[in-house]
C-alpha cells in the first residue's frame, strides 16, 4: 500500500488552524490520523493556507474525502 494513497491535500485553510485542530477534524470522520503537516512560509513562519493529512489506511482516506 502506497503512502500517497493515504495522504490528503487540504486547501483553503485559515492561518489560525493548527495541526491539532486539523487532526481532530479528520479523526471526526471515524479514521485514525497518522500524520498532519502544515507548511509554513519561510519568512513569516505563518501557515501557507494548505496542509497534508495522512490517514492510517486507504479506506479511511477515502471515507474522509
Amino acid at each position: 500500500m502506497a503512502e500517497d494513497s493515504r495522504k490528503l491535500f487540504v486547501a483553503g485553510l485559515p492561518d489560525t488552524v493548527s495541526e491539532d485542530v486539523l487532526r481532530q477534524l479528520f479523526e471526526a470522520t471515524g479514521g485514525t490520523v497518522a500524520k498532519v503537516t502544515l507548511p509554513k512560509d519561510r519568512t513569516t513562519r505563518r501557515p501557507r493556507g494548505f496542509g497534508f493529512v495522512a490517514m492510517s489506511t486507504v479506506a479511511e482516506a477515502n471515507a474522509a474525502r
Side-chain angles (χ1 to χ4, degrees):
M1 161 181 7
E3 181 179 335
D4 287 344
S5 55
R6 296 182 298 128
K7 189 185 283 187
L8 304 171
F9 173 74
V10 185
L13 297 173
D15 61 358
T16 56
V17 169
S18 68
E19 289 181 1
D20 290 334
V21 170
L22 200 54
R23 178 181 301 275
Q24 290 172 1
L25 289 171
F26 277 84
E27 285 179 344
T29 67
T32 302
V33 174
K35 185 176 181 181
V36 176
T37 305
L38 290 176
K40 295 184 179 178
D41 182 273
R42 290 181 186 171
T43 305
T44 64
R45 303 299 303 153
R46 294 178 63 130
R48 296 177 61 197
F50 66 91
F52 300 93
V53 178
M55 304 300 286
S56 293
T57 67
V58 173
E60 289 176 353
N62 289 335
R65 275 190 188 97

